[in-house]
Amino acid sequence: DHHHDRLAAARRARRRATHHRRAGRRRRPGRPVNPQICKSEHQFESDHMKSPRHIHRHLTRIIAMLAALPTIFAVTACGSTSSANGGDDGLTKVTFMLSWAPDTNHIGVYVAKNKGYYRQAGLDVNIVAVAQSGAEQAVNNGVADFALSNLTNVSTYSTKGTELRQVMQIQQKTSAIWCALASNASITRPRDLDGKTFATFGSSESDAVVRRMIQHDGGKGNFDKVTVGTSTFQTLESGRADFGGFYSTWEGVQAKLNGPKLNCFTEPEYGVPGNADSIGIITSDRLIAQNPDLVKRFVQATQRGYEYAYDHGDEAADILVKEAPEANLDPEFVRESMKTIIDGQYWGDREQIISGKQTFGLADYQGTQAYFDFLAQSEAYTDAAGRVAHAAPQSKDLATDEFLKQAN
């Protein structure tokens, strides 16, 4: 048992290191992507929950994800399973890859599967755990047909030569929060972060954002950094760092329900332009060219799933808990996360969407471009050789609304 514990811990550290490198792009707070962070790392921030029950839940989730790896490797060996392959039931097999562990960012996919929306669209959707190379690379290489990511990550990959496209933008405004422990009386506003230590996963994007917030508040933008090992919460509580990044819809909920109390600052308040957290569904340009009908059917069935979740938050939360048993999620926590998303209207104007007057999932071209321009000016983009890429990627070239079902 001790051997298995050590093995699990080693694998977890290796997977998290890979994850955080991926997440660097949009994982400034502590998120995940390939170059840096992807909105999925928050799931593991629950390390800060110290009770044996939560520790056991966390380890169970990790073991379950490791158990799912053979499925990913099988898909890798066979290639993408989309348009060419139909099952015995006449359904087209499709692979959807998580961006990290199951959370409320993925909830619409689980709802669509549970409610039969995919089958109604002639699809047999297999939800698989994230590959070590990252969901973006898996989609680009044809290992997965679709995945959860965000347009910032897509932009970062585009400077390295990938051909990805976001086909539905779920989140319409930034949810990143930059926080210190409320018990740290020396930090009450961003300029107080000058000279303090930042708990980071090594993302140049995160550095640019924190620097801009400090300078906008009258500071110099100088801070020390320490690499997070397992949890930003733990790093702050241990005294190794003074502040770090989180998401209000996940870690923020964790802190609200379980502690620790935080003092947080948001990007829009302190000079960071545009929409950084453009979480959504991605696919490859190759699949769009080869089978646009399949892309349309998947996107519109997924769109229905998220619309249902936005209208029935508690039920959707229960569906996620049921459909992702390997994550061992706390139902109360997931419901609170969905309540935060709904109350904050993170997915758009809820009343307009539910009434059918507004299309769910439209790309925020203007907001994302403003953020890309900021990253380019901050020299946060690099090419495949690691050289600074000065030209900002263009959001209009990286996203499309053509596959969405448009509102009346």
Side-chain angles (χ1 to χ4, degrees):
D1 289 341
H2 292 303
H3 171 73
H4 290 303
D5 289 343
R6 289 195 300 273
L7 178 61
R11 286 174 174 169
R12 176 178 65 178
R14 185 165 60 248
R15 285 179 61 81
R16 286 182 62 83
T18 300
H19 172 66
H20 295 313
R21 284 198 299 274
R22 284 185 282 116
R25 302 85 60 85
R26 176 54 240 149
R27 255 58 238 160
R28 311 148 331 191
R31 323 35 159 359
V33 175
N34 190 260
Q36 295 139 165
I37 290 194
C38 293
K39 156 61 186 193
S40 306
E41 177 253 312
H42 3 329
Q43 291 102 321
F44 286 83
E45 290 296 348
S46 51
D47 284 357
H48 81 284
M49 300 176 182
K50 300 182 182 67
S51 72
R53 179 172 64 89
H54 286 298
I55 293 173
H56 173 74
R57 173 179 301 159
H58 190 57
L59 293 175
T60 301
R61 183 185 310 173
I62 295 167
I63 294 169
M65 290 182 66
L66 291 171
L69 287 178
T71 300
I72 296 176
F73 296 148
V75 174
T76 305
C78 300
S80 178
T81 60
S82 66
S83 53
N85 299 323
D88 295 337
D89 52 8
L91 301 177
T92 301
K93 294 185 179 298
V94 172
T95 299
F96 174 84
M97 183 170 285
L98 304 176
S99 67
W100 194 229
D103 68 355
T104 44
N105 287 334
H106 300 88
I107 199 166
V109 176
Y110 287 95
V111 170
K113 186 166 185 175
N114 176 271
K115 292 291 183 181
Y117 298 160
Y118 290 130
R119 295 186 68 86
Q120 292 171 23
L123 305 175
D124 178 9
V125 175
N126 184 29
I127 302 172
V128 300
V130 64
Q132 282 198 343
S133 62
E136 295 85 1
Q137 286 287 14
V139 171
N140 188 63
N141 296 335
V143 174
D145 301 307
F146 301 91
L148 189 84
S149 182
N150 61 72
L151 199 53
T152 302
N153 293 352
V154 172
S155 76
T156 303
Y157 275 106
S158 73
T159 65
K160 305 178 190 307
T162 62
E163 296 184 345
L164 301 171
R165 187 89 49 167
Q166 183 165 283
V167 288
M168 184 175 75
Q169 183 175 318
I170 299 160
Q171 187 160 308
Q172 299 295 322
K173 67 179 187 179
T174 299
S175 58
I177 49 177
W178 302 87
C179 311
L181 296 179
S183 58
N184 186 345
S186 67
I187 298 177
T188 61
R189 54 191 303 165
R191 70 185 182 197
D192 294 336
L193 302 178
D194 254 340
K196 299 297 195 298
T197 301
F198 174 29
T200 178
F201 292 99
S203 161
S204 57
E205 178 191 356
S206 299
D207 292 350
V209 169
V210 171
R211 186 174 299 110
R212 169 62 66 88
M213 293 177 69
I214 294 174
Q215 292 173 344
H216 187 271
D217 194 38
K220 296 180 180 179
N222 299 323
F223 49 89
D224 296 324
K225 295 186 288 185
V226 61
T227 300
V228 174
T230 56
S231 164
T232 303
F233 284 114
Q234 289 181 349
T235 304
L236 298 186
E237 292 180 312
S238 70
R240 294 180 56 229
D242 301 297
F243 68 97
F246 307 96
Y247 285 103
S248 60
T249 55
W250 198 255
E251 296 100 334
V253 175
Q254 293 176 350
K256 175 183 176 181
L257 295 179
N258 302 283
K261 291 184 178 180
L262 302 173
N263 185 20
C264 302
F265 319 109
T266 64
E267 296 167 17
E269 289 183 281
Y270 293 99
V272 179
N275 184 355
D277 297 325
S278 47
I279 296 165
I281 305 299
I282 66 167
T283 190
S284 64
D285 288 342
R286 179 184 59 257
L287 183 58
I288 289 175
Q290 293 176 350
N291 199 335
D293 178 66
L294 177 130
V295 176
K296 180 179 180 180
R297 285 185 285 145
F298 179 85
V299 168
Q300 294 193 4
T302 305
Q303 185 182 13
R304 287 182 66 190
Y306 279 96
E307 289 172 342
Y308 190 91
Y310 213 22
D311 192 22
H312 306 84
D314 284 351
E315 182 187 350
D318 293 342
I319 288 173
L320 175 61
V321 172
K322 174 185 176 183
E323 295 292 331
E326 73 281 2
N328 207 3
L329 295 166
D330 181 347
E332 178 188 2
F333 167 69
V334 179
R335 291 191 199 104
E336 188 64 27
S337 176
M338 276 306 299
K339 184 178 185 301
T340 301
I341 289 171
I342 291 170
D343 290 349
Q345 301 208 76
Y346 282 95
W347 295 352
D349 188 320
R350 183 169 178 260
E351 182 177 340
Q352 292 291 307
I353 290 170
I354 293 172
S355 67
K357 297 178 181 178
Q358 179 176 314
T359 300
F360 181 95
L362 293 172
D364 176 10
Y365 293 105
Q366 182 177 354
T368 53
Q369 189 60 55
Y371 187 66
F372 297 171
D373 292 343
F374 160 71
L375 291 183
Q377 293 164 8
S378 303
E379 299 188 341
Y381 286 115
T382 58
D383 62 19
R387 297 169 300 211
V388 173
H390 295 284
Q394 298 299 299
S395 60
K396 63 182 177 59
D397 297 329
L398 302 176
T400 179
D401 297 326
E402 66 181 296
F403 301 107
L404 296 170
K405 181 178 180 180
Q406 301 295 323
N408 298 327

